[in-house]
């Protein structure tokens, strides 16, 4: 850092590494979790941050709720690693009343996409609403699990990723993670910043 370099008599300044950004976004339905700017509903343009940031994981276009955004590519791999089994919590409304059999079958694992889903925590919180905590992230997992049991998802909202909670963040808004949230997150996933 203290070295000085000249080329053709001009001093070359080292580019400073941008400060790491860790952000929570309340993604509304209709936004696609892609960095592909050809998709007019892409999440990067929606957030319109001055730094180049990208989502950690996905929420399907029809779903809403918490998605983490960052410019730190290393943390993405740590969070998304399959064997990490990090919790993600959702509130789901389906098209008809649910009973004890639905809760039991959903929590025990459902055959989708050529595999059986891992056991999960599920709690009925209304006539046709439930809270579910997954440690797995198969493509449209909750929708496919419900469909297998003859239910259609009406709304799906992610309210927590590991220790980060959506709480009362308004739909479409984003905020930087607090120092305590980052510290707890890094501890839980065993992540060391560079």
């Amino acid at each position: 850092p203290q070295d000085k370099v000249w080329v053709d008599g001009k001093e070359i300044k080292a580019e400073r590494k941008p400060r790491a950004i860790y952000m929570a976004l309340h993604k509304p339905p209709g936004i696609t979790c892609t960095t592909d700017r050809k998709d007019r509903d892409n999440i990067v343009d929606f957030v319109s941050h001055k730094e180049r940031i990208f989502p950690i994981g996905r929420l399907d276009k029809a779903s809403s709720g918490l998605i983490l955004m960052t410019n730190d590519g290393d943390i993405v791999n740590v969070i998304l690693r399959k064997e990490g089994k990090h919790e993600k919590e959702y509130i789901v409304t389906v098209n008809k009343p649910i009973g004890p059999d639905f809760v039991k079958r959903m929590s025990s694992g459902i055959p989708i996409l050529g595999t059986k889903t891992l056991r999960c925590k599920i709690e009925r919180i209304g006539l046709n609403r439930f809270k579910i905590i997954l440690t797995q992230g198969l493509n449209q997992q909750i929708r496919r699990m419900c469909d297998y049991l003859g239910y259609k998802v009406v709304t799906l909202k992610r309210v927590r990723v590991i220790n980060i909670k959506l709480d009362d963040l308004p739909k479409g808004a984003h905020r930087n993670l607090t120092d305590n949230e980052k510290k707890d997150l890094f501890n839980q996933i065993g992540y060391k910043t560079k």
Side-chain angles (χ1 to χ4, degrees), residues 104 106-109 117-121 133-136:
K104 181 180 178 188
M106 285 283 282
S107 66
S108 299
T117 59
L118 298 177
R119 293 182 68 80
C120 61
K121 299 173 191 164
I133 300 172
L134 301 178
T135 57
Q136 187 175 26

Side-chain angles (χ1 to χ4, degrees), residues 124-173:
R124 185 174 167 219
I125 56 173
L127 184 65
N128 61 338
R129 290 182 78 207
F130 62 94
K131 175 173 65 171
I132 185 168
I133 300 172
L134 301 178
T135 57
Q136 187 175 26
L138 300 175
N139 185 5
Q140 296 196 350
Q141 181 171 344
I142 297 169
R143 292 178 189 279
R144 291 175 193 269
M145 291 169 74
C146 289
D147 191 52
Y148 181 85
L149 295 176
Y151 290 78
K152 296 291 179 209
V153 170
V154 177
T155 62
L156 190 152
K157 180 178 179 181
R158 183 160 55 199
V159 295
R160 180 174 61 88
V161 174
I162 309 172
N163 66 304
I164 311 300
K165 295 180 181 174
L166 185 63
D167 289 334
D168 56 0
L169 185 64
K171 195 177 286 184

Side-chain angles (χ1 to χ4, degrees), residues 33-175:
C33 290
T34 182
T35 57
D36 183 357
R37 292 197 139 140
K38 290 182 205 132
D39 182 331
R40 64 183 181 89
D41 298 320
N42 75 79
I43 198 166
V44 174
D45 287 339
F46 176 77
V47 172
S48 189
H49 198 277
K50 64 182 179 181
E51 298 287 338
R52 181 182 170 274
I53 59 171
F54 38 88
I56 301 176
R58 301 177 314 274
L59 260 178
D60 65 57
K61 190 169 185 169
S63 299
S64 68
L66 179 64
I67 186 116
L68 301 179
M69 306 278 296
T70 189
N71 62 349
D72 178 358
D74 294 330
I75 198 170
V76 174
N77 297 326
V78 174
I79 289 177
L80 297 183
R81 205 174 358 190
K82 258 193 315 197
E83 57 276 7
K85 295 190 175 162
H86 305 300
E87 287 188 350
K88 295 174 289 292
E89 183 176 336
Y90 304 82
I91 303 292
V92 184
T93 305
V94 289
N95 64 330
K96 57 187 178 182
I98 56 177
D101 186 56
F102 174 89
V103 171
K104 181 180 178 188
R105 291 179 72 191
M106 285 283 282
S107 66
S108 299
I110 299 287
I112 61 168
L113 299 171
T115 189
K116 185 176 181 183
T117 59
L118 298 177
R119 293 182 68 80
C120 61
K121 299 173 191 164
I122 181 169
E123 176 187 348
R124 185 174 167 219
I125 56 173
L127 184 65
N128 61 338
R129 290 182 78 207
F130 62 94
K131 175 173 65 171
I132 185 168
I133 300 172
L134 301 178
T135 57
Q136 187 175 26
L138 300 175
N139 185 5
Q140 296 196 350
Q141 181 171 344
I142 297 169
R143 292 178 189 279
R144 291 175 193 269
M145 291 169 74
C146 289
D147 191 52
Y148 181 85
L149 295 176
Y151 290 78
K152 296 291 179 209
V153 170
V154 177
T155 62
L156 190 152
K157 180 178 179 181
R158 183 160 55 199
V159 295
R160 180 174 61 88
V161 174
I162 309 172
N163 66 304
I164 311 300
K165 295 180 181 174
L166 185 63
D167 289 334
D168 56 0
L169 185 64
K171 195 177 286 184
H174 56 81
R175 66 171 180 82

Side-chain angles (χ1 to χ4, degrees), residues 14-31:
E15 288 185 25
R16 291 190 359 209
K17 185 177 175 184
R19 146 186 95 76
I21 296 166
Y22 306 99
M23 167 193 305
L25 167 69
H26 187 161
K27 183 191 98 60
I31 299 301

